[in-house]
Amino acid sequence: MKHLCLLFAFLSILSCRAQEDNEDLAKEVIISGRVLNREVYPKEKEVKLVLPCMPYLETIYTSPIADDGTFSFRFSPYASTREVVLRNYAEHLYVHPGDSLHVEIDFSDLLNPRITGTSGTLNQYMALFTTGGYYRGPYLGGNNATFEEFEKELKEEYASRQERRTDFLKEHSPGAEVEKYTADLLSIDYYYSLFNYAMSQAANGKDVSQYKALLSELDPLFSEQTVYASQFSLADIVQRFLYFDHIRREKRDFEFKDIVEVGKNRAILPYLSLYPIAKTLYDNDTTYLADNRVLLDSIVKAPYLRKPLLEFYQDKASFLKSPEKVSYYMLYGNNADEATAQKEMPFMIPVYNLLEKYAGKVIYVDFWGVICPPCLAEMEPLKELRKRYSPDDVVMVSICGSGEREAYQKILERFSLEGKNIECIYSEDWATADDYHRIMRHWDMNSIPQFLLINRDGIIVDYGSGLRPSYPKTVAKIDALLK
């Protein structure tokens, strides 16, 4: 019993220390600033601060520029050191929990923001390194070279960049912290270039599986002590490399369990684990996270990774439960009603016309292009989906948004789409090219295929690339609207 009490006491101490550590990492950072010479860019009304993360998960704060030119942000870094981005003005800002920074931005001299405050000296040196001619970013050449040629090119380029860093350190003597960060930036860029090459080769069907052995070399760069913006770009490109390598070898999809297996015991694994979860959430599918939650919780523990993922999940779960608010914004923006929206957002009128034409029916819309293989792969499933429902209940609209009209007509003939109770529309017959692209940008639909599902009340209840005709969940979602 005595030993058991000691064990509980020890675990209690560890728990308290972990809680204290998280509280320390959550201490708010304050970044304030002032814009000078605003008349140079009078249309600039706001400043954006980005906390980088894996795709779909970056956090963006927006601060209006006040009449006196000031702006400010408050946020928790959840890491001992974190690189954040003051978009367009200071691309590399380094902060510690509790820091207070002041950034003076001169619109007539955008390349040289003046940074002061608790980490002011650190940031002045890092700004000098990244914008003063010592730093170039990832090397992206050599995609047509052989493995040996590319690696030789990359090592020579890396050695050249190391020489420039050495010159910087000798000339400025910035201290140990800057020495570490500049070394890490060059290493991250080196491996990004290497895996970007490997990814392009794997995508072309070449065997580059030997690069998986390099995952162990990335461990020091994903230590969780310092969080760099470029870490996420590196993890993203590694994820893409592993995906194409897996598809080439296994001829099946790269599933969550495959990611866990290939990244086992590697420091990069928490980053790799975020991507498939975030992608499914982007497609408004919350079940994937639920199905993998136990395994995910055992892997992704750092709060700077967990927090944005769980917030994204809550946002999507809330939308699927009560889509009215998001639907209203997608249709009418920040306007009070449709009449005002028609004046302020005239590019949306084709959408309003579609809603009026099919009022009282469920509407399923497919946006596609003539040279998009994933789009064309959904044509036969679209016809099968059409057969399940009466046109009196469910309207299906197929809008081709890219490609020449002649090519569009050939696709209709190839898949026998006409006369199948699917309203086939060439986008220029629906909206001007400019309006079509403005609609897609407003909906943040940057790729195809994309889909909309609208209920009988004209509310967008689901949207995105995850609403494909071939997906069983699509049938379930349409069925639910007909009950």
Side-chain angles (χ1 to χ4, degrees), residues 41 52 66 115 152 155 178-179 184 190 228 249 254 268 291-292 325 356 360 373 427 453:
Y41 298 107
I115 307 169
K152 181 174 181 292
K155 287 178 180 178
V178 175
E179 287 187 25
D184 286 349
Y190 172 82
Y228 301 98
R249 289 182 297 101
F254 192 39
I268 197 175
D291 292 343
N292 293 282
K325 184 176 180 180
E356 183 179 359
S427 64
L453 183 59

Side-chain angles (χ1 to χ4, degrees), residues 68-333:
D68 62 356
T70 58
F71 60 87
S72 64
F73 301 93
R74 302 175 72 100
F75 63 94
S76 296
Y78 294 109
S80 299
T81 306
R82 186 159 190 179
E83 181 183 7
V84 300
V85 177
L86 204 59
R87 187 163 285 171
N88 298 326
Y89 306 121
E91 298 294 322
H92 304 273
L93 280 180
Y94 295 81
V95 297
H96 310 104
D99 270 353
S100 179
L101 282 180
H102 185 81
V103 183
E104 188 175 88
I105 301 168
D106 189 339
F107 273 7
S108 64
D109 185 20
L110 288 177
L111 295 180
N112 297 293
R114 184 169 177 268
I115 307 169
T116 56
T118 50
S119 293
T121 302
L122 164 66
N123 279 286
Q124 289 167 18
Y125 279 126
M126 291 304 297
L128 180 61
F129 178 74
T130 54
T131 63
Y134 299 99
Y135 178 70
R136 292 181 181 172
Y139 171 67
L140 299 178
N143 282 346
N144 294 322
T146 65
F147 302 152
E148 293 78 12
E149 291 171 342
F150 176 76
E151 290 182 2
K152 181 174 181 292
E153 289 176 16
L154 181 58
K155 287 178 180 178
E156 290 174 352
E157 178 65 23
Y158 182 62
S160 172
R161 296 179 182 211
Q162 287 282 27
E163 289 178 5
R164 282 197 299 278
R165 172 178 171 270
T166 299
D167 292 340
F168 168 78
L169 297 178
K170 286 181 178 178
E171 184 175 351
H172 299 286
S173 301
E177 195 172 20
V178 175
E179 287 187 25
K180 176 183 180 345
Y181 297 162
T182 53
D184 286 349
L185 285 181
L186 294 188
S187 293
I188 291 170
D189 289 344
Y190 172 82
Y191 285 106
Y192 180 93
S193 302
L194 197 62
F195 279 102
N196 182 67
Y197 171 80
M199 182 273 295
S200 67
Q201 299 301 307
N204 289 325
K206 295 182 181 178
D207 182 4
V208 286
S209 54
Q210 71 270 23
Y211 282 95
K212 288 192 292 186
L214 298 179
L215 293 181
S216 61
E217 297 182 16
L218 304 181
D219 287 347
L221 299 174
F222 291 88
S223 66
E224 298 188 1
Q225 295 301 310
T226 303
V227 182
Y228 301 98
S230 53
Q231 276 178 320
F232 300 106
S233 299
L234 173 57
D236 184 32
I237 208 69
V238 170
Q239 165 77 28
R240 293 169 187 264
F241 155 69
L242 294 172
Y243 169 83
F244 285 116
D245 180 65
H246 177 89
I247 295 296
R248 181 193 63 80
R249 289 182 297 101
E250 304 294 336
K251 303 296 189 295
R252 63 175 178 83
D253 201 10
F254 192 39
E255 300 176 359
F256 188 72
K257 61 181 178 62
D258 299 311
I259 295 172
V260 174
E261 180 60 31
V262 76
K264 189 176 182 180
N265 298 324
R266 299 275 66 91
I268 197 175
L269 179 58
Y271 293 72
L272 299 179
S273 300
L274 288 183
Y275 181 82
I277 305 292
K279 178 62 173 68
T280 56
L281 290 175
Y282 179 77
D283 291 335
N284 297 320
D285 179 1
T286 59
T287 60
Y288 193 81
L289 186 149
D291 292 343
N292 293 282
R293 183 62 185 266
V294 173
L295 184 56
L296 183 74
D297 285 348
S298 70
I299 296 170
V300 182
K301 297 179 180 179
Y304 63 85
L305 298 177
R306 287 182 61 84
K307 188 172 183 292
L309 179 68
L310 296 180
E311 287 179 349
F312 194 34
Y313 168 78
Q314 290 297 334
D315 287 345
K316 291 299 185 176
S318 297
F319 163 70
L320 293 173
K321 183 178 180 180
S322 301
E324 293 82 4
K325 184 176 180 180
V326 172
S327 174
Y328 190 94
Y329 177 79
M330 291 179 70
L331 293 174
Y332 310 117

